[in-house]
Amino acid sequence: MPAFSENDPLNIRLELETVPAGSPASLVARQLVELLTGGELAPGSRLPSERILAEQLGVGRSAVREALAALEILGIVQIRPGSGTYLRGGTSELLPTTLSWGLMLAANRTRELLEVRSALERSAVRLAAERATDTELARLGEYLERQADNLDDADAFIDADVRFHVQIARIAGNEVLADLLQSLRSMLGVWADRGVRTWAASAVAYEEHRRVYDAMLRREPAAAEAEMHEHMDSASARILATEQERAAG
């Protein structure tokens, strides 16, 4: 495992595998993302030069340059002209961005993402049902009321829908879980929003949310999880149907 003390004042040591010949810059970016989020580098650490990275990865400097530019756009690194490339934040801060980058690099994985989201939403609501205060439940109820009042206003309904789920994640009290859900929500956002663009779809989603909320009010974690499971199945079906319509069109 080579050391790069002459290039990096923090003595960063890298573990990189040679990238297969002809691979796009995205594969270089994948390796760098894994390195940067591995927890061994402190925020502000400077990466080795493009030349050293290219030699270590067995690719041209242009591929490294393109990968670093993409990671800068995503907020993972900061490129300072004349100084070098630096890691922006810690692992926890990079988690949502890294997940988004993973989606960009991969083929369409909507169904898999929906399965992960469903599992995380169920975990979140179970924890929330166990930990919620009366004040937190009251706030959650306000978002439910907003949904009921805006069944014929898609944008307002979607806003209240998102806030409802975000509030559940906050009540759960697990920041990593909340970050994961936020990232997944961002990745699926376009199709999720299109899935509730009609009054009928909004009405179904509202009724599902109401049952989740009622179970939380009763302080029944298992029931809340079961209701969320049904909601996620229904919501996932709407999203997949929307995506299929897009592909067909």
Side-chain angles (χ1 to χ4, degrees), residues 25 33 35 38 44 54 59 90-91 93 104 115 129 134 136 164 176-177 183 188 190 194 202 208 240:
V33 164
L35 165 73
V59 298
T91 303
E93 296 171 11
M104 292 172 64
E115 290 174 354
D134 291 342
E136 289 170 332
F164 182 84
V176 173
L177 179 59
S183 184
L188 294 165
V190 174
R194 291 182 182 179
S202 295
E208 292 166 353
L240 290 171

Side-chain angles (χ1 to χ4, degrees), residues 66-79 88 97 101 104:
E66 183 180 344
L68 290 175
L71 296 183
E72 182 180 37
I73 290 173
L74 291 166
I76 294 177
V77 300
Q78 179 183 29
I79 299 175
R88 278 187 178 273
T97 301
W101 177 237
M104 292 172 64

Side-chain angles (χ1 to χ4, degrees), residues 70-118:
L71 296 183
E72 182 180 37
I73 290 173
L74 291 166
I76 294 177
V77 300
Q78 179 183 29
I79 299 175
R80 303 175 191 171
S83 177
T85 302
Y86 296 79
L87 177 64
R88 278 187 178 273
T91 303
S92 61
E93 296 171 11
L94 291 175
L95 184 56
T97 301
T98 304
L99 285 174
S100 298
W101 177 237
L103 177 67
M104 292 172 64
L105 295 177
N108 193 315
R109 293 182 174 176
T110 303
R111 188 178 298 276
E112 294 175 13
L113 290 169
L114 289 169
E115 290 174 354
V116 173
R117 181 193 175 194
S118 176

Side-chain angles (χ1 to χ4, degrees), residues 1-2 4 14-32 34-35 52-60 63-64:
M1 181 170 62
F4 296 99
L14 300 182
E15 289 183 340
L16 297 171
E17 298 178 359
T18 301
V19 173
S23 297
S26 62
L27 292 182
V28 176
R30 276 183 183 275
Q31 284 232 44
L32 292 176
E34 291 175 3
L35 165 73
I52 292 176
L53 287 173
E55 291 176 354
Q56 182 69 16
L57 291 164
V59 298
V64 172

Side-chain angles (χ1 to χ4, degrees), residues 151-158 189-202 238 242:
L151 293 176
D152 57 354
D153 184 336
D155 290 333
F157 182 89
I158 289 168
V190 174
W191 309 121
D193 291 353
R194 291 182 182 179
V196 288
R197 282 291 171 184
T198 65
W199 185 94
S202 295
R238 288 193 293 271
T242 300

Side-chain angles (χ1 to χ4, degrees), residues 100-163:
S100 298
W101 177 237
L103 177 67
M104 292 172 64
L105 295 177
N108 193 315
R109 293 182 174 176
T110 303
R111 188 178 298 276
E112 294 175 13
L113 290 169
L114 289 169
E115 290 174 354
V116 173
R117 181 193 175 194
S118 176
L120 294 179
E121 290 280 10
R122 294 186 335 249
S123 295
V125 79
R126 188 179 189 101
L127 289 172
E130 295 172 352
R131 300 171 177 177
T133 65
D134 291 342
T135 300
E136 289 170 332
L137 286 173
R139 175 61 60 86
L140 189 63
E142 292 174 6
Y143 297 139
L144 189 64
E145 290 177 7
R146 288 190 199 176
Q147 292 173 46
D149 293 339
N150 291 283
L151 293 176
D152 57 354
D153 184 336
D155 290 333
F157 182 89
I158 289 168
D159 179 72
D161 184 328
V162 170
R163 291 177 186 276

